[in-house]
Amino acid sequence: MLKSPPMENRENFKSRIGFIMTSAGCAIGLGNVWRFPFITGKYGGAAFVLFYLIFLVMLGAPIMIMEFAVGRASAKSAIRSFNVLEPKGSKWHSFGFFAVAGNYLLMMFYTSVAGWMFSYIFKSGRGLFTGLSPAEIGNVFNNMLANPGEQLFWMTVVIVIGFIICSGGLKNGVEKASTIIMTSLLFLMLVLVIRSVTLKDAEKGLVFYLKPDFSKIVETGIGEVIFAAMGQAFFTLSLGIGALAIFGSYIGKEKALTGEAISVIALDTFVALMAGLIIFPACFAFGENPGQGPGLLFVTLPNIFNSMFLGRLWGTLFFVFMSFAALTTVIAVFENIIAFAMDLHGWSRKKSVLINFILVFILSIPCVLGFNLWSNFSIPGIGNIQDIEDFIVSNNLLPLGSLVYLLFCTNRYGWGFDNFIKEANTGSGIKFPRGLKFYISWILPLIVISIWIMGYLWKFC
């Protein structure tokens, strides 16, 4: 087995809180503050949340610990980590290129969606929605999608901000910015929660969100709800494409990795749960349906803010919050992309930033055009260009990549369980239980495969 390079040669996080904030920033994104409330509304509220929390611990935590362990032991990004740790002559390192593809593909559509959030800060701030009917508010969103120039501008703003931050390096760029943005995000969230739960009739939304009603799960179908909860718990943490492994490569051996993963997951979960406390009371207070897709953010909520006292202010703050949530993921994945090039080609950070800025900008253009000039291009059963890119990442690379990490860390033909457990438990703090070996070696891979298969069945059947 190849020797791990010395840790001193790699830039490390300045503080533990910086590592937790940056890792949580990668996991915290639109899946938390948009998809979680939407899917919770669709599947019955609090009863679904209970299943989600259980599966978050059962599915997400072990795989996150494995990504951190592979990153820390190798001191490399996903493009090189398997080369360092795999047995001589094996081919595990081939996965590194799929991890690279997953990070690029994620940014090819995520930068556009993040751009929508930034644009709505200014739309709301200048009072564009004031006095508009729900149909007219819907037209604002549709007109934005139909305008490639507007979308391209805001997409570029996101890319420029992300790469400027990453160009500052790990400590002075990524860590510092992520800590500031995450702290601001949490503050904004608390302000918005207080406003939402104090609305008239907000208690109806709180009951729906916080009081389990298992009869709603029976009505929907318990199997469908369980798999939906599994899928949300699994995908919300951005597992399987090495997006978190890179941050493991930047930390020392002082702390065992289980406690670090729990801290990241707890912060990720807190943001998701607080997002529900913003959205559900507001929706119920104004008689709106919370179980919607894009319309929840870009039509329903602006309409609700229109009806509030100081609604222009609350709407603007909400989209600042949404933009921060999106930006933390962008920064984290950009750091991965930059590290890939540095590890693979030996480039300086400056060169990697410049070349990747050009690449990400070009690769993100098809998603923008898929809503207008190229709107006729689609795949039956999947959808337009954004849907295709999302399908490749969410339905394929994330679950299959997580399966690779599971097999690599438990199989004797990979890194192996003993090496994994030694790395995971190095340092002070909570240790990963050896008694879970059978579960993570056999049962968890079967669950991941089931989620992957069910994703196809829901999509095409």
Side-chain angles (χ1 to χ4, degrees), residues 417-439:
F417 182 77
D418 288 339
N419 287 325
F420 158 68
I421 206 76
K422 180 181 178 182
E423 181 64 41
N425 289 343
T426 296
S428 62
I430 302 171
K431 309 297 183 183
F432 190 90
R434 277 187 168 271
L436 291 179
K437 181 179 179 180
F438 181 80
Y439 170 72

Side-chain angles (χ1 to χ4, degrees), residues 70 81-82 85-87 90 92 403-417:
V70 169
S81 58
F82 289 86
L85 303 177
E86 69 183 5
S90 63
W92 292 94
L403 184 64
V404 170
Y405 274 100
L406 280 167
L407 297 177
F408 183 68
C409 290
T410 59
N411 194 290
R412 64 191 178 95
Y413 297 108
W415 192 28
F417 182 77

Side-chain angles (χ1 to χ4, degrees), residues 84-277:
V84 174
L85 303 177
E86 69 183 5
K88 188 175 181 180
S90 63
K91 302 296 183 183
W92 292 94
H93 62 272
S94 300
F95 169 73
F97 295 98
F98 289 92
V100 172
N103 282 266
Y104 277 106
L105 274 164
L106 178 59
M107 289 298 100
M108 284 166 64
F109 65 88
Y110 203 92
T111 50
S112 292
V113 180
W116 300 348
M117 303 302 167
F118 274 82
S119 75
Y120 264 60
I121 294 174
F122 292 90
K123 285 179 169 63
S124 183
R126 71 175 196 260
L128 182 63
F129 303 119
T130 303
L132 297 186
S133 68
E136 289 170 331
I137 291 174
N139 286 335
V140 171
F141 181 61
N142 293 331
N143 291 338
M144 179 184 69
L145 294 184
N147 186 337
E150 181 181 359
Q151 281 202 80
L152 191 65
F153 172 79
W154 289 110
M155 179 203 80
T156 305
V157 168
V158 170
I159 294 173
V160 168
I161 293 173
F163 278 116
I164 285 176
I165 290 171
C166 291
S167 67
L170 177 67
K171 293 178 183 177
N172 295 321
V174 175
E175 181 179 359
K176 183 181 290 186
S178 295
T179 303
I180 292 171
I181 293 171
M182 283 294 297
T183 303
S184 302
L185 184 151
L186 294 173
F187 173 75
L188 279 172
M189 174 170 279
L190 290 174
V191 171
L192 289 166
V193 166
I194 292 170
R195 168 68 282 201
S196 187
V197 299
T198 54
L199 291 169
K200 184 181 178 181
D201 295 328
E203 65 273 9
K204 296 177 183 177
L206 292 173
V207 169
F208 174 83
Y209 187 44
L210 300 177
K211 184 179 179 180
D213 182 357
F214 292 99
S215 65
K216 294 180 180 178
I217 287 182
V218 174
E219 290 173 12
T220 306
I222 189 166
E224 181 178 346
V225 172
I226 286 174
F227 270 103
M230 282 185 181
Q232 177 64 17
F234 182 76
F235 295 123
T236 188
L237 298 175
S238 302
L239 301 171
I241 55 174
L244 287 168
I246 184 65
F247 303 119
S249 77
Y250 291 145
I251 57 174
K253 306 278 188 177
E254 297 81 13
K255 292 286 184 179
L257 295 174
T258 300
E260 304 300 83
I262 289 172
S263 297
V264 172
I265 290 172
L267 188 53
D268 175 87
T269 305
F270 175 78
V271 171
L273 294 176
M274 290 300 102
L277 287 179

Side-chain angles (χ1 to χ4, degrees), residues 285-324:
F286 291 94
E288 298 286 352
N289 174 22
Q292 302 176 58
L296 177 63
L297 282 187
F298 300 109
V299 180
T300 302
L301 287 174
N303 188 47
I304 289 173
F305 294 131
N306 254 352
S307 305
M308 285 185 187
F309 175 66
L310 296 178
R312 185 169 165 181
L313 169 65
W314 300 118
T316 303
L317 288 177
F318 177 78
F319 284 107
V320 170
F321 155 66
M322 292 296 298
S323 298
F324 281 1

Side-chain angles (χ1 to χ4, degrees), residues 14-33:
K14 184 177 181 180
S15 66
R16 181 175 178 240
I17 191 67
F19 161 71
I20 292 172
M21 286 293 196
T22 306
S23 299
C26 180
I28 293 168
L30 300 179
N32 299 72
V33 295

